[in-house]
């Protein structure tokens, strides 16, 4: 499948879109004020050891200390106690492998990785392994024969190695250990909290990690970035250097192929299927749930066939949206219940095949008796929703607001409570237009009863700046 990469670069933000046949597949967004830290290496100091959870906090000079679990410490035994490995106040070289996500700080490791185009260098190990994305057994065997284990460290063959020449791979094998030696040397002179290695900028990182031979064109709307990317490509992937093009700002780059509108759609809670069914996405701190519904799709066969066809159609859309939205962690998919075991097996196979295009590691559980599939997807950066959105000030991220009926009952209860505590000459209810209109129509008789019982006037006033759940009950002034 022919693919293109579009980069929209401004002084404040870089947005990169991966397009396949005109459809947005992935979006990467990095803002200068909040750049990602994944891949950076710091000279830190052990701030606190927590034996109860077998973890430690490492001061690396950031606002919040980095979290380091015992499982992320390079050591010879899997059953090691963190108290035997770290002491408070100890200097420690760590690498960030997961950016701050939600309320959680950055995650750190001492199992260092230095990525190249074809290899990932893993110092302090001797293993040579091949990416699980390369499934051809004969190719895996040929790749393993290229490198000879040595004392400098281990290597992981990346998927790009599948089309690389042995000479390119060997050259990178020579380069990466030298880069690691420079990092170690700098760490000896560095102060606590100092960064001793920085990952390359997002523009170059995308070339290294995403620019496969399937990429037919890389369009960039900033001339300086084009020059830097071409120079980088000449050193690492020379056959792709000529595919990097400068796009002058005659037409906004993200308006081509309707990238902007596709990006907005990735923020929608409801996604419709072509058949008339639809999906509901709900993202929380702990997990994401995806609900599959038949909607208006009736089908022409039996109910079981209709349900299977809806679930099958949903699979491709789910795989695409999970990748596009960069959903990570635990994902629960609530498929429509099916009876036939064959349909259940086919659905899981369809989901596995659809997710194979995703570069992030995914794992899928069996379909449960209730039609639920639990899957996990490796998460190292925030989802698109977390990057572009904040918690709704109206609904507080519930996805709903209190109904007008609920608001009227709530206001009446508080009015009665206020009247018991304050001897005001009258009461003024200030609320949004929709709430005031509802009170004037549906709650008019109830307010009249309270007014009669209190012997005091009750007035209503619209405040245009108030949202539906916001209201005030104030003392009535002579001007009202």
């Amino acid at each position: 499948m022919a693919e293109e990469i579009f980069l929209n670069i401004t002084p404040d933000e870089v947005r990169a879109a991966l397009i396949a046949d005109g459809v947005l597949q992935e979006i990467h967004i990095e803002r200068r004020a909040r750049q990602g830290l994944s891949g950076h290496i710091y000279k830190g100091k052990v701030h606190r050891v927590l034996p109860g959870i077998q973890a430690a906090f490492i001061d690396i000079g950031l606002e919040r200390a980095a979290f380091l679990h015992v499982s992320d410490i390079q050591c010879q035994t899997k059953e090691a106690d963190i108290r035997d490995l770290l002491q408070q106040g100890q200097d420690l070289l760590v690498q960030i492998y997961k950016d701050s996500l939600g309320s959680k700080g950055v995650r750190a490791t001492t199992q260092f990785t230095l990525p190249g185009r074809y290899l990932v260098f893993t110092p302090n190990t001797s293993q040579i392994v091949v990416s699980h994305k390369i499934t051809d057994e004969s190719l895996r065997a040929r790749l393993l024969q290229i490198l000879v284990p040595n004392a400098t460290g281990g290597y992981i063959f990346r998927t790009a190695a599948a089309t690389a020449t042995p000479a390119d791979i060997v050259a990178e094998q020579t380069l990466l250990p030298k880069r690691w030696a420079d990092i170690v040397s700098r760490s000896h002179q560095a102060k606590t909290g100092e960064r001793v290695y920085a990952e390359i900028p997002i523009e170059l990182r995308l070339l290294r990690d995403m620019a496969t031979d399937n990429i037919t064109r890389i369009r960039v709307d900033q001339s300086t970035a084009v020059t830097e990317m071409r120079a980088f490509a000449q050193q690492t992937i020379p056959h792709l250097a000529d595919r990097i093009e400068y796009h002058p700002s005659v037409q906004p780059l993200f308006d081509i192929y309707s990238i902007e509108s596709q990006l907005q759609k990735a923020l929608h809670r409801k996604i419709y299927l072509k058949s008339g069914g639809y999906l509901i996405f709900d993202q929380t701190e702990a997990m994401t749930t995806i609900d599959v519904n038949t909607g208006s799709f009736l089908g022409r066969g039996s109910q079981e066939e209709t349900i299977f066809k809806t679930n099958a159609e949903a699979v491709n859309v789910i795989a695409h949206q999970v990748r596009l939205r960069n959903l990570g962690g635990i994902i629960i998919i609530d498929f429509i219940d099916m009876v036939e075991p064959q349909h259940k097996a086919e659905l899981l196979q369809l989901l596995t095949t659809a997710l194979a295009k995703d570069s992030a590691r995914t794992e899928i559980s069996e379909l449960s008796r209730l039609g639920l599939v639990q899957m996990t997807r490796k998460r190292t950066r925030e989802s698109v929703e977390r990057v572009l959105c904040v918690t709704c000030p109206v609904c507080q991220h519930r996805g709903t607001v209190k109904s007008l009926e609920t608001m009227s009952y709530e206001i009446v209860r508080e009015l009665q409570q206020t009247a018991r505590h304050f001897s005001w000459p009258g009461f003024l209810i200030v609320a949004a237009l929709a709430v005031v209109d509802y009170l004037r129509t549906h709650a008019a008789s109830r307010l009249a009863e309270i007014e009669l019982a209190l012997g005091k006037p009750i007035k209503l006033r619209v405040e245009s700046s108030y949202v539906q759940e916001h209201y005030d009950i104030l003392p009535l002034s002579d001007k009202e």
Side-chain angles (χ1 to χ4, degrees), residues 115-133:
R117 167 72 177 169
Y118 309 112
L119 300 171
V120 176
F121 179 59
T122 55
N124 307 320
T125 72
S126 58
Q127 287 187 321
I128 298 178
V129 297
V130 181
S131 167
H132 72 284
K133 291 286 184 179

Side-chain angles (χ1 to χ4, degrees), residues 145-376:
Q145 291 175 355
I146 295 174
L147 300 184
V148 178
N150 55 54
T152 60
Y155 296 89
I156 302 170
F157 281 94
R158 307 189 72 182
T159 52
T163 56
T165 65
D168 289 336
I169 293 173
V170 171
E172 201 162 82
Q173 182 192 21
T174 304
L175 172 66
L176 293 175
K178 292 180 180 178
R179 187 177 297 169
W180 173 248
D182 290 340
I183 293 170
V184 173
S185 177
R186 285 197 297 273
S187 70
H188 294 324
Q189 310 300 323
K191 299 177 181 178
T192 299
E194 187 175 336
R195 188 176 65 190
V196 296
Y197 171 76
E199 247 292 29
I200 56 179
I202 183 173
E203 307 95 290
L204 307 184
R205 197 162 68 243
L206 290 168
L207 274 181
R208 183 192 68 195
D209 299 340
M210 290 177 57
T212 65
D213 290 341
N214 291 331
I215 300 294
T216 59
R217 182 169 54 175
I218 302 168
R219 306 186 72 179
V220 188
D221 63 5
Q222 188 194 70
S223 58
T224 303
V226 169
T227 302
E228 294 173 352
M229 292 173 70
R230 283 175 178 166
F232 179 81
Q234 287 289 357
Q235 296 177 345
T236 56
I237 40 175
H239 65 287
L240 294 182
D242 292 339
R243 302 181 195 180
I244 303 172
E245 302 175 1
Y246 172 57
H247 175 82
S249 56
V250 177
Q251 180 185 10
L253 189 58
F254 269 38
D255 283 354
I256 300 175
Y257 292 138
S258 303
I259 298 173
E260 207 72 70
S261 61
Q262 291 187 67
L263 176 56
Q264 293 305 313
K265 187 178 179 181
L267 300 175
H268 292 178
R269 181 170 179 257
K270 178 182 285 189
I271 298 292
Y272 286 96
L273 304 175
K274 291 181 179 179
S275 65
Y278 60 91
L279 309 175
I280 297 292
F281 289 79
D282 283 310
Q283 187 178 347
T284 68
E285 186 82 13
M287 69 177 69
T288 299
T289 61
I290 305 172
D291 187 25
V292 183
N293 299 273
T294 54
S296 61
F297 181 49
L298 300 177
R300 296 183 178 179
S302 66
Q303 182 181 13
E304 175 72 11
E305 284 295 329
T306 299
I307 290 173
F308 175 69
K309 286 179 180 178
T310 304
N311 283 336
E313 183 187 5
V315 160
N316 287 323
V317 179
I318 288 171
H320 175 245
Q321 288 293 322
V322 163
R323 183 183 178 191
L324 175 56
R325 296 169 187 240
N326 191 37
L327 301 176
I330 299 172
I331 301 172
I332 305 294
I333 307 172
D334 185 4
F335 286 107
I336 307 167
D337 290 347
M338 297 178 294
V339 177
E340 295 291 337
Q342 181 181 349
H343 284 164
K344 295 180 180 180
E346 286 182 30
L347 189 68
L348 284 176
Q349 184 56 52
L350 287 172
L351 182 60
T352 302
T353 302
L355 290 169
K357 303 172 186 175
D358 196 340
S359 59
R361 183 188 293 269
T362 57
E363 293 185 8
I364 306 171
S365 71
E366 293 295 321
L367 192 68
S368 76
R369 185 173 56 84
L370 299 176
L372 300 177
V373 170
Q374 177 180 304
M375 61 170 282
T376 59

Side-chain angles (χ1 to χ4, degrees), residues 413-424 427 473:
R413 284 195 301 270
E414 185 163 333
L415 174 64
Q416 292 174 309
Q417 185 78 358
T418 303
R420 283 195 288 269
H421 288 85
F422 298 98
S423 300
W424 294 342
F427 301 88
I473 298 177

Side-chain angles (χ1 to χ4, degrees), residues 46-58 66-70 81-83 86-88:
V46 179
H47 174 66
R48 189 179 176 193
V49 178
L50 305 171
I53 59 173
Q54 287 294 293
F57 285 105
I58 314 298
F67 182 83
L68 173 66
H69 190 262
V70 68
D81 190 293
I82 196 164
R83 289 169 292 188
L86 300 179
Q87 302 297 322
Q88 188 170 330

Side-chain angles (χ1 to χ4, degrees), residues 72-105:
D72 293 316
I73 299 176
Q74 187 71 45
C75 60
Q76 298 300 318
T77 173
K78 293 182 180 181
E79 303 300 327
D81 190 293
I82 196 164
R83 289 169 292 188
D84 299 327
L85 302 174
L86 300 179
Q87 302 297 322
Q88 188 170 330
Q90 170 188 346
D91 286 338
L92 188 68
L93 199 64
V94 295
Q95 183 174 36
I96 305 304
Y97 74 90
K98 185 178 290 187
D99 281 323
S100 176
L101 300 171
S103 60
K104 300 175 182 176

